[in-house]
Amino acid sequence: MAGGTRWGAAAVAYRAWLLLTVAQHVKGVVSRDPIFLAEIQNQTVSEGRNVRFACRVDNLGSHKVAWIHYENSAILTVSNHVITRNDRITVSRDKRQNTYYLHIRNVRETDTGKYMCQINTASAMTIAGYLTVVVPPDIVDNESSNDVIAQEGSDIKLRCRAKGSPRPIVTWKREDGQHIAINKSTTVLEYQGEVLRLSKVNRMDMGAYLCIASNGHPPTVSKRILVSVDFPPMLWIPHQLIGANRGKTVVLECFTEAHPTSLNYWTRGDGNMIYDSMKYRIENRVGNPDYKIHMLLTVRYLEEDDFGTYRCVAKNPRGETDGTIKIYDSGPPPTSPPPPTTEAEVFEKINKGEELDLRDQERSLNLPAISPSSGSRGASHLYPLAGLAGAACLLWARRF
């Protein structure tokens, strides 16, 4: 109803304007035609600013000046009177300059258009200036895509709706700087358009995509859309057979890829799960990109029971997989060094003050046995030093 009243008032004003024009010319009031003294300057302003148009007229006489918004077909002012009900619009006059000013406060994008200064002569005289209201870009969130989750091999469509004046240009980029794979044969560093379509996505397409809207009037704005690609776990095992000696420590490795992130764990060949302990150390290292995991199992101080099969397992809602690694005994356990078998080695041990097992020396050097029956009562019960001295004497006697 308010709109109808407003347009009704404008129509009445316009009819009055026409009647006044006709009446003036019928009565021959006009002696000279009015003239415009200057062109109306076009203006470009940012939304929210104020603007003023000037219309300089000479020989106006009894004619009237009106301001009209051409696109809206709306009479805004006539002479010193405001016709429109838009309270942001006012009119003023500088009599000395013969100038009529149209003022628009807090301009909006809808104010964009042609503003005509018109004199009500028999054939209406008109000049016009153009108002361009520039609006920095803005992304319409409820008309744009949010984060997307897709299965590997499917197609996805990302939308980024932007508004502003002039109309913004939307550019897509990947946050990590990688190329955008439009399809198997086309990759680009940037893509222009409000809609980005990706064909048969895979894990390499996963990441954050930025839609950036700009129209030459700052600030430029952007929206971050995270694309997640789900796929079942996969495993790579660099060494499936590991040989080691008892007492050694070994590290088993498995590399997994999965999204969503998989549950990763180790078991023995019999299915028993392995936990962190003095025997085992479990570590999962997140890779780049973060759907890659490096699984490590450290087995300390190998014993007989530690040899055998180990399994690394990865599970997520899309599936599960596992792989096996076998540890085998690669050699005999370490032994103590053998006893000296030559006279020189025996003398070397004697010189160093080391103890000798005389029975071993008797066997290795074919020395006569030292026992009570050999004439040395209680010789077998002497301290090691006595045994060493006896061995030395025997060797000395044998030598000479």
Side-chain angles (χ1 to χ4, degrees):
M1 230 13 226
T5 303
R6 182 182 65 187
W7 286 110
V12 170
Y14 190 65
R15 284 196 296 272
W17 167 262
L18 292 177
L19 289 173
L20 178 61
T21 300
V22 172
Q24 285 176 329
H25 286 276
V26 167
K27 293 179 180 180
V29 173
V30 180
S31 58
R32 289 189 302 164
D33 288 336
I35 59 172
F36 292 111
L37 298 177
E39 296 290 333
I40 298 178
Q41 299 298 313
N42 296 332
Q43 298 193 52
T44 300
V45 297
S46 297
E47 189 175 40
R49 304 292 296 274
N50 299 332
V51 68
R52 183 182 74 172
F53 284 110
C55 180
R56 295 188 63 198
V57 181
D58 197 13
N59 300 328
L60 184 61
S62 60
H63 293 91
K64 304 296 181 183
V65 173
W67 284 100
I68 301 170
H69 190 184
Y70 177 78
E71 282 74 13
N72 293 343
S73 299
I75 299 175
L76 305 177
T77 68
V78 174
S79 188
N80 295 325
H81 304 287
V82 177
I83 305 302
T84 180
R85 295 191 179 185
N86 185 342
D87 60 3
R88 295 182 295 111
I89 292 178
T90 57
V91 66
S92 65
R93 179 184 179 188
D94 184 343
K95 292 183 179 180
R96 289 180 299 177
Q97 298 291 328
N98 296 324
T99 304
Y100 286 84
Y101 294 105
L102 176 68
H103 305 269
I104 308 174
R105 293 183 296 102
N106 188 25
V107 296
R108 302 171 183 171
E109 186 177 359
T110 54
D111 295 326
T112 294
K114 184 190 295 184
Y115 287 81
M116 300 188 303
C117 176
Q118 189 174 91
I119 303 173
N120 63 334
T121 54
S123 177
M125 297 174 59
T126 302
I127 59 173
Y130 198 87
L131 173 63
T132 301
V133 179
V134 297
V135 181
D138 187 29
I139 293 175
V140 185
D141 197 62
N142 61 355
E143 297 181 26
S144 302
S145 298
N146 294 316
D147 293 347
V148 175
I149 300 176
Q151 291 194 39
E152 199 165 41
S154 63
D155 299 338
I156 63 175
K157 179 174 72 173
L158 305 180
R159 181 183 297 277
C160 186
R161 172 81 171 85
K163 65 179 183 178
S165 181
R167 185 174 180 178
I169 295 173
V170 175
T171 303
W172 294 88
K173 293 181 179 180
R174 288 188 62 164
E175 189 177 57
D176 58 10
Q178 298 296 314
H179 281 72
I180 297 173
I182 305 299
N183 51 50
K184 289 185 178 180
S185 60
T186 305
T187 61
V188 294
L189 195 59
E190 297 182 1
Y191 180 83
Q192 283 192 359
E194 289 193 347
V195 177
L196 173 64
R197 290 181 172 85
L198 304 178
S199 175
K200 300 189 185 320
V201 294
N202 60 48
R203 65 200 68 184
M204 301 302 294
D205 299 315
M206 188 155 32
Y209 289 72
L210 303 176
C211 73
I212 304 165
S214 62
N215 65 355
H217 299 281
T220 296
V221 293
S222 65
K223 178 180 174 68
R224 183 178 186 269
I225 301 173
L226 185 64
V227 174
S228 300
V229 179
D230 286 356
F231 56 94
M234 299 179 66
L235 272 175
W236 291 267
I237 301 176
H239 306 289
Q240 289 188 286
L241 191 60
I242 298 176
N245 293 336
R246 298 179 190 178
K248 298 295 184 180
T249 294
V250 298
V251 179
L252 314 185
E253 294 179 289
C254 287
F255 293 88
T256 73
E257 291 186 10
H259 194 274
T261 302
S262 56
L263 171 66
N264 304 317
Y265 59 93
W266 295 86
T267 71
R268 290 299 305 265
D270 56 9
N272 288 328
M273 190 173 292
I274 296 173
Y275 301 95
D276 264 321
S277 63
M278 294 297 293
K279 169 62 69 174
Y280 302 111
R281 181 190 176 199
I282 298 173
E283 185 179 2
N284 290 321
R285 297 177 183 173
V286 179
N288 185 23
D290 59 8
Y291 59 76
K292 294 184 177 182
I293 303 293
H294 184 188
M295 300 174 60
L296 298 107
L297 173 65
T298 301
V299 185
R300 301 182 178 98
Y301 314 117
L302 288 174
E303 301 173 336
E304 180 65 28
D305 291 343
D306 297 323
F307 295 108
T309 300
Y310 294 76
R311 293 173 61 239
C312 53
V313 184
K315 293 182 178 182
N316 78 354
R318 300 298 179 193
E320 68 175 278
T321 188
D322 62 43
T324 60
I325 301 174
K326 185 175 182 179
I327 304 176
Y328 69 92
D329 190 349
S330 62
T335 58
S336 58
T341 57
T342 66
E343 296 176 9
E345 290 176 344
V346 172
F347 273 106
E348 183 179 358
K349 280 187 170 287
I350 292 173
N351 290 333
K352 290 181 179 179
E354 298 178 8
E355 295 183 1
L356 291 175
D357 186 332
L358 295 183
R359 292 179 179 82
D360 285 343
Q361 310 316 317
E362 291 169 4
R363 289 191 293 270
S364 61
L365 300 178
N366 296 319
L367 296 177
I370 301 175
S371 66
S373 62
S374 65
S376 298
R377 183 170 58 89
S380 62
H381 302 289
L382 294 178
Y383 291 100
L385 183 62
L388 293 175
C393 291
L394 290 173
L395 289 171
W396 181 265
R398 184 174 181 182
R399 188 178 289 242
F400 294 98

